[in-house]
Amino acid sequence: MLWLNGNFLNENDAHISVSDRGFLLGDGVFETMRATNGHVGWLSFHLQRISQSIDVLGGFPVKIPDEATLAKVISTLCQGFEKRHAVIRLTVSRGQGGQGLLATGASGSTVLITAKPIDLDVGCGPLELAISKQVRRNPWSVASRMKSLNYLDNIVARNEAADAGAEDCLILTQDGHVGETTIANVFAMLKGRLYTAPKESGIFAGLSRACVIDWAQSNHISLCYDPVTIEHLKTTDCVFVCNALRGVRVVSSVGDYMLNQTQSGLKLITKLSQHLENSIGR
């Protein structure tokens, strides 16, 4: 079952117009959320972010359910799931019409909400990352600041990872520094300081990234946004990724390089992981 433009429907009964700009041009945005027992802990943050993304696209009339209504929709979609956790996706397109790229005249925005059960115990071990040879983060890209329906860069990089036998792919910044993966932000602990790429580098600064930064500041851990190279990663105490779906995962290798995981680094990851889990699942 899914929710489409105000109605609960079976998947086979749901239809989207062939003139929908999200389908034709990727003219829209989405949010991926984790529900625990039918409840999304960061729901208000996700709603705020998708609204900001719509504003970046120039704004368009769309009836996204308010937070209370959306919470009820998500709870209903999760009913009957045997798994405790579910992946919730809220997808919004500008709608139908418009002359080519120009959106003037477009109407009938599409709002789709889906829920799929997920086992977070699968794929929770150390993460092996390939390094993308085809994709770099572009600090001038509008799409880098949101989850747009045109996700081709991430798709290409993820295919590179699969071809290399890795689970995900590290995408470098335009200057060749560590950026992010296709689905997560990257942090590295080095000499007591926590490093991550700045927003200005073209990465997508996720909600979990903000949570990690807040936690680090409250625990008096120094944060640094200076550029980090692949060579730097070889000497770190730990490297980890985070997103709002799976929380924190330690990185065991990047390309051909095996990474350090010192006791102090693993201790940090354990504490941070517990904090993030409590925050996401509350």
Side-chain angles (χ1 to χ4, degrees), residues 130-138 152-164 169-174 182:
I131 303 173
S132 177
K133 298 178 181 178
Q134 300 185 68
V135 181
R136 291 282 180 102
R137 284 302 183 230
N138 179 0
L152 285 179
D153 279 350
N154 294 47
I155 292 170
V156 169
R158 182 62 184 82
N159 286 335
E160 286 186 88
D163 291 341
C169 206
L170 177 65
I171 301 176
L172 304 179
T173 67
Q174 178 181 257
T182 65

Side-chain angles (χ1 to χ4, degrees), residues 77-131:
L77 292 177
C78 291
Q79 287 178 3
F81 286 173
E82 294 182 2
K83 303 294 184 183
R84 180 169 177 250
H85 301 292
V87 182
I88 309 299
R89 173 162 162 151
L90 169 60
T91 305
V92 179
S93 84
R94 192 185 299 267
Q96 306 169 41
Q99 297 295 316
L101 297 182
L102 192 62
T104 303
S107 62
S109 58
T110 299
V111 181
L112 172 66
I113 305 170
T114 59
K116 303 290 183 183
I118 184 173
D119 187 349
L120 294 180
D121 291 330
V122 175
C124 64
L127 181 64
E128 296 180 357
L129 295 177
I131 303 173

Side-chain angles (χ1 to χ4, degrees), residues 60-231:
F60 52 84
V62 57
K63 295 181 179 180
I64 299 176
D66 60 32
E67 185 173 347
T69 302
L70 184 55
K72 291 179 181 178
V73 170
I74 292 170
S75 178
T76 300
L77 292 177
C78 291
Q79 287 178 3
F81 286 173
E82 294 182 2
K83 303 294 184 183
R84 180 169 177 250
H85 301 292
V87 182
I88 309 299
R89 173 162 162 151
L90 169 60
T91 305
V92 179
S93 84
R94 192 185 299 267
Q96 306 169 41
Q99 297 295 316
L101 297 182
L102 192 62
T104 303
S107 62
S109 58
T110 299
V111 181
L112 172 66
I113 305 170
T114 59
K116 303 290 183 183
I118 184 173
D119 187 349
L120 294 180
D121 291 330
V122 175
C124 64
L127 181 64
E128 296 180 357
L129 295 177
I131 303 173
S132 177
K133 298 178 181 178
Q134 300 185 68
V135 181
R136 291 282 180 102
R137 284 302 183 230
N138 179 0
W140 293 280
S141 170
V142 172
S144 71
R145 305 198 297 273
M146 66 182 75
K147 291 190 174 183
S148 78
L149 298 187
N150 192 325
Y151 231 44
L152 285 179
D153 279 350
N154 294 47
I155 292 170
V156 169
R158 182 62 184 82
N159 286 335
E160 286 186 88
D163 291 341
E167 188 175 343
D168 200 357
C169 206
L170 177 65
I171 301 176
L172 304 179
T173 67
Q174 178 181 257
D175 298 325
H177 301 127
V178 173
E180 61 186 341
T181 77
T182 65
I183 59 171
N185 290 121
V186 178
F187 285 85
M189 191 72 179
L190 178 62
K191 295 181 180 180
R193 306 183 76 183
L194 200 57
Y195 288 76
T196 192
K199 293 180 180 180
E200 296 76 17
S201 65
I203 64 164
F204 179 76
L207 297 177
S208 60
R209 176 183 181 273
C211 186
V212 169
I213 290 172
D214 288 344
W215 180 86
Q217 291 174 334
S218 65
N219 284 273
H220 309 291
I221 297 173
S222 298
L223 286 160
C224 187
Y225 302 98
D226 290 343
V228 172
T229 66
I230 300 296
E231 290 294 320

Side-chain angles (χ1 to χ4, degrees), residues 124-130 165-168 181 186-187 233-234 236-241 249-262 266 269:
C124 64
L127 181 64
E128 296 180 357
L129 295 177
E167 188 175 343
D168 200 357
T181 77
V186 178
F187 285 85
L233 295 184
K234 300 179 191 178
T236 57
D237 292 313
C238 66
V239 177
F240 64 90
V241 301
R249 288 186 68 184
V250 63
V251 178
S252 60
S253 64
V254 175
D256 297 328
Y257 304 116
M258 299 300 296
L259 302 183
N260 294 324
Q261 298 173 28
T262 67
L266 291 176
I269 289 176

